[in-house]
Amino acid sequence: MLNGNLLPPESETERLAILRSYRILDTPPEPAFDDLVQLAARICQTPVALISLIDDRRQWFKAEVGLGVRETPLDRSICLTAMVQAGLTIVPDLTEDPRFAHNPLVTGEPNLLFYAGAALRTPDGVPLGALCVFDSVVRDLSQDQSVTLTMLARQVMALLELRRTIADCDAKVETSRQIEQRQTLLVRELHHRVKNTLATVQALVGATGRSTGSFDEFNHSFSNRIASLAKTHNLLTEDYWQTAPLREIALNEFKPFDESLQPRFMLIGQPVELSADLAVPVGMALHELTTNAVRYGALSNPTGHVRVQWNVDEVEGTRKLHLEWREVGGPPVKEPQHRGFGSTLLQRVLPMQCNAEVEVQYTQEGLRFQMSAPLVERRLVPFY
Amino acid sequence: MNQPANSRPLVLILEDEALIALNVQDELQDAGYEVAGPFSACSAALEWLRTTTPDMAILDTTLKDGHCREIALELSRREVPFLIYSGYQEDQQHLSDFQHIAWIEKPVPSGTLVQACQQVLVGSL
């Protein structure tokens, strides 16, 4: 920071942050500020007037008359000196002042000789720059001109304050608009999801009814399916993006085996977030697989275990989830005679719902299930 | 309808919620209907319609690849009756120019869809 030698560096960092908070630097000219420099030039009868704001390596002019540039490097700035002085700074002959005698604006074109500047200070007294006038002759300001220039500087500051207040309000309005938009999206999504969930539950009643023999059996299977569905919905709702981590979905199903002395399951795979379109069917599939393993497979005896392994790869811009469920150490399995809801879900629902390729194998070791499905990348809520 | 007495009416199902689709399929098949599909995308249903015309159709409004409007237009062109089975009330606006559409809002009590199909086929819905 070139101006560090005039101000202590730590307060200069703070000052620059305050200057930036006005969001004024590099904005286009505005008539209200242009009028104020015109007024300053007319009242002081000078050819040049500027609203100069001191940035870290330059002075930038919000408005100027008679100079023809929007900024200069800081080594040419006289306002940098003026803004840290109390009151009005008047230099009748710049060539006579050792601080400015070698300034290129003084020694060369436009050969400025006279300077008067009133500091622009925030209500807390932090200097941002100056409203200043230049002339190419040696001269002074009258009492009236001095007082008016000081008042105009306060007007510049009042405008800057107003501008900042409006910018803050705009930012707040924008934020609440975004929040409102997100809320509308979520309410609509919630409505759809509730309707869909009810229709899904209804379909589950039908499907469970078709594949169970007694009311007790129906009640048991059905309530467990609903409980599993509810857990997946919990995970989806907890997350800002309305996605659920695959690992957590699987852990929900394996919770009863958490405390077992012998490890009953292994989950191997990178963190992957599933959107509702995939999380719900995959959660249901894992539930059916677990239920089946507890009744007939690797979790039906004390020694078996389940290995769930997944990975994600990308083919032609589409990310695909590959998931494998492998049971080891259970009793020998064979292909069931009767197709229950579980196999309907795995072999018909998953392909239809998730565009999944699935394979179910009854191997010597135990059941093996594999699926590959494209990840749904649609973001439900906006990013901000 | 000039159906042979022993024929099973062919119903096209367009529905992208697989569980719901399979349940509708089961219900209809149990009631003596033939089912085409269920199709989870409009494109798949259109492809099937290139070679076959069903006796009627059950359409969900919003599918994975968009709104069912194109299917509804194609069915109307062939004078195939259809009913809409949807949970999305606001989708009605996309079909506002179709007159007298049978609109059934998800979910409905079991048996309602089969009953509605019978009515659609005799032209009273």
Side-chain angles (χ1 to χ4, degrees):
Chain A
M1 269 176 284
L2 289 173
N3 37 355
N5 48 2
L6 278 170
L7 291 162
E10 63 278 12
S11 69
E12 176 57 3
T13 310
E14 222 171 282
R15 191 192 70 81
L16 286 169
I18 291 167
L19 174 63
R20 301 245 145 78
S21 76
Y22 284 86
R23 280 167 280 206
I24 185 84
L25 292 176
D26 299 308
T27 56
E30 287 170 60
F33 291 99
D34 292 344
D35 286 353
L36 289 174
V37 288
Q38 289 283 356
L39 265 174
R42 273 165 190 250
I43 283 159
C44 301
Q45 292 174 305
T46 56
V48 178
L50 310 167
I51 293 171
S52 169
L53 297 164
I54 307 299
D55 199 3
D56 65 342
R57 288 173 186 281
R58 58 171 182 165
Q59 58 174 345
W60 181 81
F61 309 136
K62 176 58 195 171
E64 62 89 17
V65 54
L67 197 65
V69 294
R70 293 300 304 275
E71 63 177 75
T72 76
L74 267 192
D75 60 358
R76 303 183 175 203
S77 176
I78 295 163
C79 293
L80 170 57
T81 310
M83 79 168 183
V84 293
Q85 312 272 324
L88 198 63
T89 302
I90 297 180
V91 186
D93 185 351
L94 291 163
T95 59
E96 294 286 299
D97 190 318
R99 291 174 299 177
F100 312 119
H102 302 292
N103 190 307
L105 296 174
V106 176
T107 56
E109 281 288 324
N111 296 104
L112 301 171
L113 281 179
F114 168 74
Y115 174 88
L120 299 172
R121 288 174 187 272
T122 68
D124 296 333
V126 178
L128 303 180
L131 169 66
C132 64
V133 294
F134 285 93
D135 208 339
S136 47
V137 294
V138 175
R139 55 170 282 190
D140 205 346
L141 287 189
S142 70
Q143 182 65 23
D144 267 0
Q145 287 172 324
S146 299
V147 171
T148 311
L149 190 63
T150 308
M151 289 195 307
L152 284 177
R154 284 205 296 270
Q155 280 304 305
V156 171
M157 212 45 236
L159 261 183
L160 284 173
E161 285 294 322
L162 192 64
R163 221 180 159 285
R164 180 166 70 166
T165 307
I166 291 170
D168 286 350
C169 281
D170 285 351
K172 278 187 191 130
V173 168
E174 175 59 16
T175 307
S176 64
R177 197 189 59 78
Q178 286 173 337
I179 290 170
E180 204 177 306
Q181 186 192 4
R182 175 168 191 260
Q183 189 172 335
T184 309
L185 278 170
L186 287 181
V187 167
R188 194 186 306 156
E189 173 66 15
L190 181 68
H191 178 74
H192 288 186
R193 219 184 267 176
V194 166
K195 278 293 186 67
N196 257 336
T197 305
L198 286 175
T200 304
V201 167
Q202 191 183 35
L204 267 179
V205 173
T208 309
R210 278 167 214 279
S211 60
T212 49
S214 69
F215 177 74
D216 282 350
E217 195 190 343
F218 170 85
N219 191 29
H220 179 77
S221 303
F222 181 67
S223 56
N224 283 337
R225 280 172 187 146
I226 298 297
S228 159
L229 206 53
K231 283 178 197 154
T232 305
H233 278 280
N234 279 350
L235 291 173
L236 287 168
T237 316
E238 274 165 23
D239 177 55
Y240 175 86
W241 298 113
Q242 304 290 295
T243 63
L246 176 55
R247 193 185 162 77
E248 296 298 320
I249 299 173
L251 279 175
N252 272 342
E253 294 302 329
F254 288 123
K255 199 142 272 168
F257 305 99
D258 257 0
E259 309 282 300
S260 111
L261 290 173
Q262 212 182 335
R264 302 308 300 270
F265 59 89
M266 271 192 280
L267 302 177
I268 309 159
Q270 69 208 86
V272 52
E273 293 286 333
L274 305 184
S275 70
D277 293 340
L278 206 51
V280 172
V282 166
M284 289 174 84
L286 291 174
H287 175 74
E288 296 307 322
L289 286 163
T290 309
T291 308
N292 184 69
V294 169
R295 287 176 77 174
Y296 311 110
L299 300 176
S300 69
N301 70 8
T303 52
H305 72 269
V306 178
R307 203 178 76 154
V308 184
Q309 192 165 11
W310 64 86
N311 70 294
V312 173
D313 65 11
E314 190 170 334
V315 181
E316 286 161 8
T318 306
R319 293 204 306 149
K320 233 175 174 182
L321 169 71
H322 305 278
L323 181 138
E324 184 196 55
W325 169 285
R326 188 191 279 255
E327 296 180 25
V328 181
V333 292
K334 54 180 190 298
E335 193 149 356
Q337 303 294 310
H338 169 71
R339 266 193 156 203
F341 173 70
S343 71
T344 303
L345 187 91
L346 299 180
Q347 295 183 324
R348 292 176 70 196
V349 172
L350 287 179
M352 246 186 104
Q353 189 75 45
C354 319
N355 269 328
E357 293 154 35
V358 299
E359 197 182 350
V360 182
Q361 288 170 291
Y362 298 89
T363 71
Q364 200 67 25
E365 261 186 330
L367 178 84
R368 186 168 168 222
F369 164 76
Q370 283 172 288
M371 72 173 279
S372 298
L375 286 176
V376 181
E377 312 279 5
R378 183 179 69 97
R379 285 284 199 212
L380 174 65
V381 286
F383 178 84
Y384 51 75
Chain B
M1 289 255 116
N2 292 323
Q3 299 277 334
N6 62 348
S7 120
R8 292 156 62 89
L10 180 58
V11 184
L12 180 152
I13 300 177
L14 182 63
E15 166 65 69
D16 66 353
E17 280 293 323
L19 262 179
I20 298 168
L22 294 176
N23 208 46
V24 172
Q25 179 181 18
D26 285 346
E27 259 194 55
L28 289 180
Q29 282 172 343
D30 288 354
Y33 292 83
E34 288 272 8
V35 166
F39 299 104
S40 59
C42 300
S43 54
L46 275 177
E47 181 65 32
W48 183 86
L49 282 169
R50 277 168 51 171
T51 55
T52 325
T53 298
D55 294 303
M56 67 161 292
I58 297 176
L59 309 179
D60 184 10
T61 46
T62 309
L63 287 304
K64 287 200 170 84
D65 60 347
H67 195 267
C68 72
R69 189 179 160 76
E70 211 181 323
I71 308 284
L73 282 171
E74 182 57 33
L75 292 170
S76 300
R77 214 171 291 142
R78 299 192 203 175
E79 296 183 348
V80 173
F82 59 90
L83 59 83
I84 302 289
Y85 184 49
S86 171
Y88 304 164
Q89 273 294 326
E90 63 258 47
D91 282 345
Q92 236 159 338
Q93 70 199 44
H94 293 285
L95 297 167
S96 54
D97 51 331
F98 287 84
Q99 283 171 354
H100 314 301
I101 293 188
W103 191 283
I104 295 181
E105 199 179 332
K106 279 176 191 166
V108 288
S110 79
T112 307
L113 267 183
V114 168
Q115 215 177 357
C117 285
Q118 282 164 358
Q119 287 172 325
V120 164
L121 281 171
V122 300
S124 69
L125 193 72

